[in-house]
Amino acid sequence: MAGVMYAAFFGKPIGLDWLGFFGFFGRTLATCAVLYPFFLCRFFGAGDIKLVALCIGFLGVEDGFLTVFFGLLGAAVWAFLMLRKKGELWARLWRLMEFTVRIGKTRRLEAYPGRETGSGLMRLGPWLFGGYCLYLALS
């Protein structure tokens, strides 16, 4: 962040100009705005959303989405395997279906059940890093 601000105010040592500076903040704020409903439902934590927003802000929309996709794909596969190993897969899928139906009927956002206990929380930071590494390997 400091490097971006330095580049914007004191020249272009890292290849940024004012348009790039405002593009970065525009992409970052737009990503936060799009993901905010997921925070309200407690699907993502605030730190995860900020990290995704920075990935898209720095890499651009296409490369950022690709990085986030790879990271979320890895996290989804890992979560699937862990839920299957614990024998909780069908119970969690049933809870997700009930939650989705309830949200559809009431047309109100509410917190996803089970987040209060903290069991089964998964941090996305390492998975987004893995997605970025895969993005770099394929680029």
Side-chain angles (χ1 to χ4, degrees):
M1 188 68 148
V4 172
M5 293 184 78
Y6 179 84
F9 291 116
F10 298 112
K12 298 184 262 184
I14 57 174
L16 293 176
D17 55 5
W18 281 104
L19 185 60
F21 180 73
F22 289 118
F24 163 77
F25 280 110
R27 289 188 300 270
T28 303
L29 290 176
T31 304
C32 286
V34 167
L35 294 178
Y36 185 69
F38 293 103
F39 170 73
L40 292 177
C41 290
R42 304 294 185 245
F43 283 146
F44 289 116
D48 296 330
I49 290 176
K50 289 182 273 189
L51 191 57
V52 168
L54 285 176
C55 285
I56 293 175
F58 275 115
L59 297 174
V61 176
E62 290 179 16
D63 294 336
F65 276 145
L66 193 58
T67 298
V68 171
F69 173 76
F70 288 147
L72 290 178
L73 181 65
V77 169
W78 181 258
F80 175 80
L81 293 174
M82 293 307 294
L83 287 175
R84 190 167 164 212
K85 180 181 175 184
K86 292 180 183 179
E88 298 179 6
L89 179 63
W90 295 112
R92 292 282 186 109
L93 288 175
W94 185 258
R95 188 184 334 169
L96 177 63
M97 193 239 355
E98 287 177 337
F99 175 74
T100 306
V101 169
R102 186 172 57 248
I103 293 293
K105 284 182 179 178
T106 62
R107 297 188 185 268
R108 284 182 353 149
L109 289 179
E110 59 186 59
Y112 185 72
R115 285 286 297 209
E116 298 82 21
T117 62
S119 65
L121 292 180
M122 179 184 260
R123 306 291 179 228
L124 290 180
W127 295 104
L128 290 175
F129 176 70
Y132 180 66
C133 291
L134 186 58
Y135 160 77
L136 288 177
L138 296 176
S139 293

